[in-house]
Amino acid sequence: MFGVILLPDFALQAALRHQPVHLRREPVAVLHEDTAITPTIFQCNDAAMAAGVQVGMTSSQGLARCGALRLITRSPTQETAATEALLESAFSCSPWVEITGEGVCTFELRGDRPVQEAFGDRVVAHLARLDLRARIGIAANPDLALLAAHAARSCLQVTDTHAFLDDLPVAALDPAPALLGILQRWGIETLGALSALPSQEVTRRLGTEGRELWERAAGRRTRLLRLAPPPETYEERMDFEYEIQTLEPLLFVLRRFIEQLTLRLEAIYRVPETLTLTLCFDDGQEYRRVFHIPAPTGNVETLFRVLHTHLENFTAPSSIKSLHLAVTPTRAPHEQFGLFETALRDPNRFGETLARLHALLGPDRAGVPCCEDTHRPDAFRVEAPDFLHLESVVAVEEPRCGEPPVFGLPLHRLRPPLPAEVMVEKQVPVGIESSMASGPVRAARGPYQLAGNWWEKGCSWACEEWDVELVQGGLYRLCRQRDGWFLEGSYN
Amino acid sequence: MLAGGLAVGGMTEVVCPVGGGLLLATLARSTLGRGGLLALIDGSDAFDPAGIPRAALRRFLWVRCRTVSQAVQAGDLVLRDGNLGLVILDLRSCRPEEVRKIPSTSWYRLQRVVEPTLTAFVVLTAQPLVSAARPRLRLEGHLELGSFDCRQTDLLDQLHIELMRGQEACIRQFA
């Protein structure tokens, strides 16, 4: 058995599927791009047809019939995305799939099991969730299935080939105009009448073209499918008719994209792991950002919030002319938490909080601190937290941490260090003067000489540190560098 | 040291003219021991990661703020997140007049945010400043140069905590 999924008015559907519902109900027509001088209407929706617009009219003729007619050009990028969605739906039915034409996919159903009635309805319903109106035909050969798809209201399975074909007009096979004219002059109007003619006589009079038409009319022609590879990219793209200057329309389209992409992934039992957002600006610049989903999920709200949080604080250099969103699929994570572990309860919410913190403070100002492998004072970096992949920790006291016990007091740093006047006697600080702490020194420890990177030209550093206790109380760290003394922080 | 523990779902102010860094290090170690996560909202970007065991840093979210108002906003975000067991807002180095400019409604809002969560919220200050905090504790003691020869755990014994305000009995304990 073969099945055909047909998307009627494919170019129109592809162009309108990301538009708001009320815009889709307005009269819309797609213009043929190839007609450079006088563009003609290629496809139009029911509202336009009800207003008297017909396929083949010029744009001015269409506008004369319907003043509210919205004329749009074909969008190859959106047609590609719609084709991918169609292909994925076909691959959910069978691994043997052919892209037969624009908005038409043929697939082969092998095996002895009969095709269930609900099978086609499920595929139609899935495509409807992707905002694609589909018809499905199921029959014994690809050509018959295509005819069934054209004749179907939603899904049609041909069980009696002759009963189905007999009443169909010859024009349904889309023969050459000359051949159709000959048959009409013979009085052959239906496929039943054509298949009733002797095949050898038809071949003798009309040649191989006639023979082929006769075989199709009799439902006997079969062919091998030109198999298509399964889609490997999951992306949606939109070239805006008008340049976008505010966030709201962008978010509207992005939400639609996420809904569509998660539905497509749902069909193959996957969820998005990363989102790649690309914005193309009017001045030719491009902005690309990859968002890693902490706990991959198919939840539209969660995925949308990731993009929303980022875009809230994003300033575009100029108006946006096109938008592209791609997702990388992965398996949905399944994790069994430990009974005594306090891991992140909602990793995606934490990721969003982190994005908000980065927006508030800057990208390097929220994260996990990591000490650099150097003795240079205040050498650290801030890394992105990875609280999802922490090793299990049993209740530990300090000696069991695997690290030596920590001595002394933690330093409360001044960033940048505060310049200070330091009185020195016999190379030992005896008094300090600064805007934070001043007074005579009761006791001092040092000097702690530190130096490094002297082997790298222009990167060497050196300093001398002292820990001091003031007479009036307070412990401080002093640092002598090439350009003078500094107060590095306090131990209070 | 904190024999009564920290109130989960509550805001605790610890006034620490001395020993605030030790308290922070202790809480970080305690969090690591429990397998929990800690967030430090650093009001003046003064935290030194070298003073905390490296293992504890892996469970440590450091939020480096430039102003007090940024710190309060960041605290609001982290508390609303609800993923972290302990959130510390360190305002010790912030100027008291700047902290006093924070309207009391902001502190009460933070209190309301933390109430339904399983998070213990601690505000470290150099002097009593947070009106909405219950309880308020004071860390006292004397540290000198000789303290550098002692282990941090031993130094804690030299400090003591005094309850300044609020119920002594914290029903749900954190540490």
Side-chain angles (χ1 to χ4, degrees), chain A residues 340-347 349-354 356-357 360-362 364-374 378 380-382 385-387 390-399 401 403 405-415 436 442-445 467-469 473-475 477 491-492, chain B residues 16-22 25 29 31-38 41-42 44-66 69-71 73-75 77-78 80-85 90 92-93 118-119 142-153 155:
Chain A
F340 301 107
E341 281 292 301
T342 320
L344 290 177
R345 283 184 280 273
D346 187 348
R349 178 155 191 177
F350 181 72
E352 191 192 337
T353 301
L354 208 59
R356 286 184 187 277
L357 288 171
L360 175 69
L361 305 167
D364 62 336
R365 301 196 70 90
V368 172
C370 295
C371 296
E372 298 283 3
D373 196 13
T374 171
D378 204 21
F380 68 88
R381 63 183 185 279
V382 178
D386 188 15
F387 294 153
L390 292 170
E391 69 275 22
S392 295
V393 177
V394 187
V396 283
E397 297 298 326
E398 191 177 303
C401 286
E403 291 194 7
V406 182
F407 284 82
L409 297 163
L411 182 67
H412 204 57
R413 280 195 175 273
L414 292 167
R415 293 193 180 96
M436 183 183 170
R442 183 202 301 270
R445 281 190 178 188
D467 292 327
V468 297
E469 182 185 350
L475 293 168
R477 180 185 288 179
Y491 291 102
N492 295 328
Chain B
C16 32
V18 67
L22 268 180
R29 268 198 302 274
T31 307
L32 169 69
R34 289 165 170 270
L37 301 168
L38 181 150
I41 318 289
D42 194 353
S44 52
D45 192 14
F47 171 68
D48 185 17
I52 304 284
R54 288 195 177 202
L57 287 180
R58 287 197 290 270
R59 294 176 171 267
F60 198 105
L61 176 69
W62 182 23
V63 183
R64 306 167 62 199
C65 305
R66 297 180 186 88
S69 63
Q70 269 189 354
Q73 284 181 62
L77 288 173
V78 174
R80 281 180 197 282
D81 182 76
N83 273 298
L84 305 171
D90 187 357
R92 283 177 296 151
S93 294
L118 293 174
T119 301
H142 178 68
L143 298 172
E144 52 190 17
L145 269 187
S147 306
F148 288 101
D149 299 328
C150 304
R151 289 167 50 155
Q152 283 190 356
T153 45
L155 283 172

Side-chain angles (χ1 to χ4, degrees), chain A residues 77-78 237-245 250 278-286 316 318-324:
Chain A
T77 52
Q78 290 179 49
R237 177 188 289 272
M238 181 177 268
D239 298 319
F240 294 114
E241 211 170 330
Y242 302 101
E243 291 153 1
I244 296 290
Q245 293 180 336
L250 190 68
T278 310
L279 300 172
C280 296
F281 301 109
D282 196 27
D283 59 2
Q285 289 186 59
E286 193 177 278
S318 62
S319 47
I320 299 166
K321 66 175 185 182
S322 72
L323 170 67
H324 176 244

Side-chain angles (χ1 to χ4, degrees), chain A residues 34 38 201 252:
Chain A
D34 296 339
T38 50
E201 296 300 320
F252 176 83

Side-chain angles (χ1 to χ4, degrees), chain A residues 117-236:
Chain A
E117 284 183 12
F119 168 76
D121 294 333
R122 275 202 303 271
V123 179
V124 171
H126 176 70
L127 283 165
R129 288 166 71 198
L130 293 169
D131 283 315
L132 291 170
R133 185 166 44 85
R135 294 178 197 160
I136 293 194
I138 298 168
N141 63 58
D143 291 342
L144 199 56
L146 181 61
L147 285 174
H150 276 289
R153 176 168 297 200
S154 165
C155 178
L156 177 63
Q157 184 172 354
V158 178
T159 48
D160 186 346
T161 305
H162 290 292
F164 169 69
L165 287 174
D166 281 355
D167 295 332
L168 284 181
V170 177
L173 294 179
D174 198 18
L179 193 58
L180 183 63
I182 293 169
L183 290 172
Q184 281 174 345
R185 284 196 294 278
W186 288 357
I188 305 293
E189 298 288 343
T190 63
L191 298 184
L194 178 59
S195 61
L197 299 173
S199 64
Q200 288 178 347
E201 296 300 320
V202 170
T203 309
R204 195 160 64 85
R205 287 171 173 78
L206 300 178
T208 52
E209 199 178 353
R211 169 74 185 185
E212 189 182 318
L213 193 69
W214 184 90
E215 283 181 349
R216 289 172 67 194
R220 293 182 186 175
R221 183 171 176 265
T222 190
R223 62 181 176 84
L224 294 173
L225 298 184
R226 294 182 296 275
L227 296 181
E232 293 174 354
T233 57
Y234 295 86
E235 54 190 22
E236 292 281 354

Side-chain angles (χ1 to χ4, degrees), chain A residues 471-482:
Chain A
V471 171
Q472 68 267 32
L475 293 168
Y476 299 94
R477 180 185 288 179
L478 292 172
C479 173
R480 183 157 70 177
Q481 296 177 2
R482 286 169 190 152

Side-chain angles (χ1 to χ4, degrees), chain B residues 125-139:
Chain B
T125 54
Q127 52 182 280
L129 291 168
V130 184
S131 52
R134 293 283 189 286
R136 177 183 286 159
L137 309 170
R138 185 179 179 86
L139 193 60

